[in-house]
Amino acid sequence: MDDENSTEGASSSGIPSEPVRSSVTTGVTADNELSPPAVSPPVQDAPAEPPLETTTTAEVPTDASTPTTADEAVVTDSPEPVDVVAAPTGRQPQAASGNPLPRVMAVANQKGGVGKTTTSVNLGAALAELGFRVLVIDLDPQGNATTGLGIDARNFELSMYDVLMRDSSLEDCVEPTSMKNLFVAPATIALAGAEIELVPAFSRELKLKRAIETVIDDFDFVLIDCPPSLGLITVNALAAADEVLVPIQCEYYALEGLSQLMRNVHLVASNLNPRLDISTIVLTMYDARTKLSDQVATEVRDHFGNKVCRIVIPRTVRLSEAPSFGQPITAFDPASRGAIAYRELAKEVSGGTS
Ligand SMILES: Nc1ncnc2c1ncn2[C@@H]1O[C@H](COP(=O)(O)OP(=O)(O)O)[C@@H](O)[C@H]1O
Ligand SMILES: [Mg+2]
């Protein structure tokens, strides 16, 4: 996978000069050891229908320099949603919907900028809107989930650094947000130190797991927003979680590094946390105007089957604006395409209402 970081083979437009399909596959075929779409436990509830027409015109896009097309406005990843959005059997339920509560999900992908934080915040908010009690744990020293949920570093005393490094109680660290049912365990830049300070610590991989055990009775979903690395902080998240949710950006090199993430998940599963499973893959920043988005989506679905959510998250500027207002998209612009997509995703991931 030495060629992964190279831009050779890509034209100036960013579109690879080789057929994209084979280029994109490069990231996957190296992963022959990766588990193909796994055998999943029986699913209780069927997922929500693809959003189809209801999602087509909710938002006047402010980010589009080209005119809106019908394709662009849909949340699903194809102009003909049934072909691509549905799993191969057409009606196969998404793998993890209906997993028993409480569910602890690590939102992980060591690539930066793929939508981990956006998904943690907005899926969390949408699940809370459905009536689930949701805790978002910010494990990224950048603290973007914290500020994105309107929590100002000056207004809290304890952060995840204190929980991991000073054995402070997670319950004391948890802050309410302006959304009912939605809570956040904040992070500050101090957490950057934990990556190194944890190295000599006793039970260093299990600190988060132990902390979550003390509050889990209070929540239906715990979403752990991981940093863009596979260090000890992410290992803590993987050791604490039942499931991994992997956001994959619908861009070239989308699959780069995924095999490494898989290896780490398998390592943690075999050494620390046998129940860990990559249950959910979310395609993010889908742009219906580009063929590449479709190609990546198809490639990911071919490889991961029904782990890939039918709902894809569109690229929309409203989603990138919301954090600076300290609000999830469901509050910032409730009728926008991004809000609709994350609401539909919440239904799909949870299997319904609480
Ligand atoms: N669907 C989307 N449409 C447009 N911008 C997005 C979308 N998802 C994320 N972004 C923006 O992309 C950037 C990276 O997203 P982020 O969620 O912070 O990724 P990560 O946590 O994986 O680093 C942020 O500026 C975010 O606002
Ligand atoms: Mg992030």
Side-chain angles (χ1 to χ4, degrees):
M1 301 225 284
D2 290 334
D3 61 341
E4 278 178 358
N5 295 323
S6 159
T7 53
E8 284 170 25
S11 72
S12 56
S13 66
I15 306 295
S17 50
E18 297 168 13
V20 172
R21 206 172 153 77
S22 59
S23 305
V24 172
T25 308
T26 310
V28 176
T29 47
D31 301 348
N32 285 337
E33 79 278 20
L34 302 186
S35 52
V39 182
S40 304
V43 175
Q44 294 157 8
D45 298 318
E49 288 290 322
L52 301 177
E53 305 83 359
T54 54
T55 60
T56 54
T57 55
E59 183 191 31
V60 178
T62 52
D63 56 340
S65 52
T66 55
T68 304
T69 64
D71 295 1
E72 187 193 345
V74 295
V75 175
T76 48
D77 62 357
S78 166
E80 296 161 300
V82 174
D83 288 338
V84 178
V85 174
T89 62
R91 297 298 306 161
Q92 195 174 348
Q94 199 265 328
S97 69
N99 278 4
L101 301 177
R103 290 169 66 179
V104 181
M105 305 179 85
V107 181
N109 183 335
Q110 81 275 25
K111 268 180 86 138
V114 299
K116 291 182 291 297
T117 301
T118 305
T119 298
S120 302
V121 165
N122 294 306
L123 176 61
L127 287 167
E129 214 179 65
L130 285 176
F132 295 104
R133 280 177 66 85
V134 180
L135 172 62
V136 174
I137 296 183
D138 192 348
L139 274 198
D140 188 341
Q142 300 300 318
N144 292 341
T146 303
T147 50
L149 284 167
I151 306 295
D152 186 327
R154 287 166 297 194
N155 297 339
F156 56 86
E157 285 183 7
L158 294 177
S159 72
M160 284 309 297
Y161 177 84
D162 301 291
V163 173
L164 294 178
M165 298 311 307
R166 301 203 174 115
D167 292 327
S168 299
S169 100
L170 179 54
E171 186 181 358
D172 293 343
C173 168
V174 169
E175 300 278 338
T177 70
S178 57
M179 259 66 53
K180 192 179 170 214
N181 294 328
L182 183 62
F183 299 81
V184 60
T188 66
I189 193 69
L191 194 57
E195 196 72 78
I196 290 168
E197 292 167 41
L198 271 170
V199 170
F202 179 70
S203 288
R204 59 190 186 179
E205 297 94 354
L206 298 175
K207 290 195 171 273
L208 182 64
K209 177 183 166 66
R210 304 241 157 91
I212 290 176
E213 279 165 2
T214 65
V215 301
I216 194 64
D217 290 347
D218 293 336
F219 297 102
D220 300 309
F221 281 88
V222 176
L223 302 180
I224 308 170
D225 184 25
C226 292
S229 72
L230 291 172
L232 266 175
I233 291 180
T234 297
V235 169
N236 262 268
L238 297 178
D242 312 307
E243 307 171 38
V244 187
L245 184 159
V246 184
I248 296 182
Q249 191 184 359
C250 294
E251 295 288 349
Y252 195 51
Y253 298 132
L255 304 170
E256 172 187 76
L258 226 51
S259 58
Q260 216 185 335
L261 174 65
M262 304 288 170
R263 263 195 298 280
N264 278 38
V265 169
H266 290 311
L267 269 175
V268 172
S270 45
N271 290 294
L272 294 167
N273 183 8
R275 67 181 188 283
L276 186 67
D277 176 38
I278 295 185
S279 66
T280 310
I281 292 179
V282 177
L283 294 163
T284 64
M285 297 184 231
Y286 178 83
D287 187 342
R289 289 168 297 183
T290 68
K291 273 204 159 56
L292 185 57
S293 272
D294 257 348
Q295 286 164 330
V296 171
T298 303
E299 192 76 28
V300 171
R301 287 187 194 287
D302 285 350
H303 193 71
F304 293 102
N306 72 343
K307 287 173 186 278
V308 187
C309 289
R310 293 150 56 111
I311 300 300
V312 303
I313 306 301
R315 179 181 283 284
T316 139
V317 77
R318 300 300 270 166
L319 276 170
S320 59
E321 288 171 348
S324 54
F325 294 84
Q327 289 183 325
I329 192 69
T330 46
F332 177 64
D333 193 348
S336 63
R337 288 187 298 139
I340 291 165
Y342 274 108
R343 267 195 223 106
E344 293 293 327
L345 183 69
K347 283 190 216 155
E348 182 174 357
V349 167
S350 66
T353 50
S354 67

